[in-house]
Amino acid sequence: MTKAFVAIAFAAIASAPTIASADEGGVSFWLPGFFGSLAAAPAQAPGWSVTSIYWHDSVSAGRDVARAREIEIGRIPANVTANVSANLNANLNLGFLIGTYTFATPVLGAQASASLMGIYGSNSTSLAGSLTGTVTGPGGGTFPFSRFDSIDSSLTAFGDLYPTFMLKWNAGLNNFMTYVTGDIPAGAYQSTRLANIGIGHGAIDAGGGYTYFNPQTGHELSAVLGFTYNFKNTDTQYQNGVDMHLDWGASQFLTKQWQVGMVGYLYQQIGCDSGSGDRVGCFRSRVAAVGPQVGYIFPVGDMQGYLNLKAYGEFANENRPAGWNLWLTFNLSPAAAPPTATPKRMITK
């Protein structure tokens, strides 16, 4: 059971936020679901580990999000008051590559790690529907208008960069963590394009988590709560409000290699959007999700491999696309120290 603990703890270290999809146009910095089981558990072996993730997301949204996206990309000018009856659909296939270094020397009595994540993949987004409203002319008069929009936008490119620093403490069956991460806008982004990989602005996200893990019974329960502060998008003069997110996972180890359980998340924007480019008002977004997970641990030479498959079905969305997403994670990390070696787990005294 100890090997299982180590493998998934390394995978949790590498799990940090990235792209998601109200924030401007229904798109946020934090990707709900990145933290999961054993998120707060320290790893036993310091050194380098690497995690690769394939993420598929299939979502749709109605008129409110469609209208916000049309405003964002400049399809509804400032002199137009429009009612939108349209649907937005998006399919994303992204690969995340995360390099993590776990330090051997404790920091504040905790195990410290630093990671950097890069993204590459595709985004295919379409919008179709009708617009009706009025246009304000140069002399102040208004004129009715009506049109049908059909937009298809696809892109394959690199995304933003996401550095993360974590501290993790272990006290018997209880584990605690804190983290700070952020967005370095380096990905493909154009304010007039419907499909993007980058988000067009910087962000800082911080939070903490807890994991209960009993190696004897195989019971595990984890939760991580975080908050995002978004900087202004200088291309659109739009600033997203403060976001709150809660990721959780519960699992049972059937053997030392096999793990099954459930995962879920709650995402809620708690601050209103603002800026001179905000023409949709407060536009707070929300979404929740739940789904199954399965994990498998196996040796890779003198290293240790971990595969995890999890899926989420979303519900209770507001001002944000919703649908389903799937994660396939592979983590390669140093193997656990043999039982005769000196334990390297950082234990709070």
Side-chain angles (χ1 to χ4, degrees):
M1 193 65 67
T2 301
K3 290 183 178 180
F5 177 88
V6 174
I8 301 177
F10 263 102
I13 286 174
S15 296
T18 178
I19 301 176
S21 300
D23 301 291
E24 186 175 15
V27 178
S28 63
F29 159 71
W30 184 263
L31 179 60
F34 242 98
F35 283 123
S37 289
L38 287 171
Q44 283 192 319
W48 284 100
S49 68
V50 62
T51 299
S52 60
I53 301 172
Y54 164 71
W55 180 65
H56 173 80
D57 188 36
S58 179
V59 295
S60 61
R63 61 183 183 181
D64 290 340
V65 173
R67 177 176 179 269
R69 293 302 298 273
E70 291 225 57
I71 291 174
E72 179 186 354
I73 64 176
R75 297 282 294 185
I76 303 179
N79 66 332
V80 173
T81 301
N83 295 314
V84 177
S85 179
N87 291 309
L88 179 81
N89 295 281
N91 286 280
L92 290 90
N93 292 282
L94 301 180
F96 310 141
L97 185 63
I98 310 163
T100 300
Y101 184 77
T102 302
F103 298 92
T105 302
V107 176
L108 301 177
Q111 186 179 74
S113 67
S115 65
L116 181 66
M117 181 172 71
I119 302 166
Y120 183 80
S122 65
N123 180 355
S124 179
T125 303
S126 63
L127 186 153
S130 61
L131 287 77
T132 59
T134 58
V135 179
T136 303
T142 59
F143 307 90
F145 86 97
S146 177
R147 78 168 190 241
F148 184 87
D149 275 356
S150 180
I151 308 170
D152 289 294
S153 180
S154 297
L155 175 70
T156 299
F158 287 98
D160 295 347
L161 296 175
Y162 303 89
T164 302
F165 181 75
M166 291 188 182
L167 293 175
K168 298 189 175 186
W169 295 265
N170 167 254
L173 305 182
N174 301 300
N175 304 272
F176 307 89
M177 63 89 81
T178 186
Y179 75 91
V180 61
T181 185
D183 179 288
I184 301 175
Y189 173 82
Q190 290 182 10
S191 61
T192 57
R193 185 170 54 205
L194 190 62
N196 286 296
I197 302 297
I199 62 174
H201 65 86
I204 295 177
D205 188 283
Y210 169 78
T211 290
Y212 170 84
F213 179 65
N214 188 330
Q216 302 303 316
T217 64
H219 300 335
E220 179 271 335
L221 178 64
S222 298
V224 178
L225 177 67
F227 298 86
T228 305
Y229 176 81
N230 297 282
F231 295 98
K232 182 181 292 185
N233 183 336
T234 56
D235 288 338
T236 61
Q237 297 302 309
Y238 194 109
Q239 185 169 12
N240 296 344
V242 174
D243 302 319
M244 179 190 74
H245 48 85
L246 174 68
D247 295 349
W248 61 267
S251 65
Q252 174 67 46
F253 284 91
L254 304 178
T255 68
K256 292 183 178 180
Q257 290 182 294
W258 285 100
Q259 166 210 22
V260 296
M262 300 292 292
V263 289
Y265 55 75
L266 172 64
Y267 179 91
Q268 175 68 62
Q269 185 177 341
I270 59 177
C272 288
D273 294 347
S274 61
S276 60
D278 176 15
R279 293 166 50 205
V280 294
C282 188
F283 208 59
R284 288 195 181 102
S285 59
R286 180 186 68 236
V287 72
V290 67
Q293 69 163 325
V294 59
Y296 179 67
I297 298 134
F298 55 95
V300 182
D302 59 351
M303 304 287 282
Q304 189 162 255
Y306 172 64
L307 274 174
N308 179 272
L309 178 65
K310 60 183 181 179
Y312 295 87
E314 295 183 319
F315 57 94
N317 64 304
E318 181 179 357
N319 293 330
R320 181 184 176 99
W324 64 276
N325 55 79
L326 180 144
W327 305 67
L328 179 61
T329 300
F330 172 67
N331 173 259
L332 186 65
S333 60
T340 55
T342 302
K344 296 182 180 179
R345 185 183 307 167
M346 306 305 172
I347 300 177
T348 303
K349 295 183 180 180

